[in-house]
Amino acid sequence: MRELKSHGVETAINDFGTGYSSLNNLRRLPLEFLKIDKSLVSDADMAAESKAIIRAISAMVKSLGLKTIAGGVERPAQELILREMACEFGQGYPHAKPMAYGKLLEFRSSRALVETL
């Protein structure tokens, strides 16, 4: 991963906040991004607990000098909450649906691949 980084490749931990995500990886791996799992984002506008977890993850990520990506941003209320928490990027169907590689190349040339929140 360090060699890839030396060539300009940026990396992220996906689905953070679920499964076997290790906090130790945040300091050991040469990461630029951390993606907050969509299971936390899905009810961030309805459940105080999810909002609190996202806030804590965002603060920790910022203190480590990383950027956050929120997965599963589907509603304007979710996007608003994530903006308030200074989450840099969002991923979800309102931004783009899954697509074949050729369509991705067209999409990429027509607009930013990752939407900024």
Side-chain angles (χ1 to χ4, degrees), residues 50-106:
S50 291
K51 190 173 175 179
I53 292 169
I54 293 169
R55 182 177 284 114
I57 290 171
S58 295
M60 177 181 56
V61 168
K62 298 273 183 268
S63 71
L64 293 169
L66 303 174
K67 297 177 192 114
T68 53
I69 303 169
V73 181
E74 305 296 332
R75 295 184 300 278
Q78 294 166 320
E79 191 168 328
L80 180 63
I81 287 168
L82 292 162
R83 282 181 195 267
E84 290 170 359
M85 291 186 213
C87 182
E88 288 93 353
F89 300 98
Q91 176 187 5
Y93 286 137
H95 298 286
K97 294 186 175 25
M99 61 188 81
Y101 181 71
K103 293 285 184 189
L104 174 64
L105 294 177
E106 291 173 27

Side-chain angles (χ1 to χ4, degrees), residues 3-75:
E3 185 174 344
L4 289 171
K5 185 174 182 164
S6 74
H7 292 288
V9 175
E10 296 180 322
T11 55
I13 289 182
N14 192 29
D15 298 335
F16 192 80
T18 63
Y20 295 98
S21 298
S22 171
L23 293 175
N24 195 37
N25 286 333
L26 295 181
R27 65 184 184 98
R28 288 189 313 113
L29 298 174
L31 303 170
E32 286 74 36
F33 300 93
L34 186 136
K35 184 177 169 192
I36 300 170
D37 188 68
K38 67 181 181 178
S39 65
L40 295 170
V41 175
S42 67
D43 65 352
D45 55 336
M46 296 179 268
E49 296 86 358
S50 291
K51 190 173 175 179
I53 292 169
I54 293 169
R55 182 177 284 114
I57 290 171
S58 295
M60 177 181 56
V61 168
K62 298 273 183 268
S63 71
L64 293 169
L66 303 174
K67 297 177 192 114
T68 53
I69 303 169
V73 181
E74 305 296 332
R75 295 184 300 278

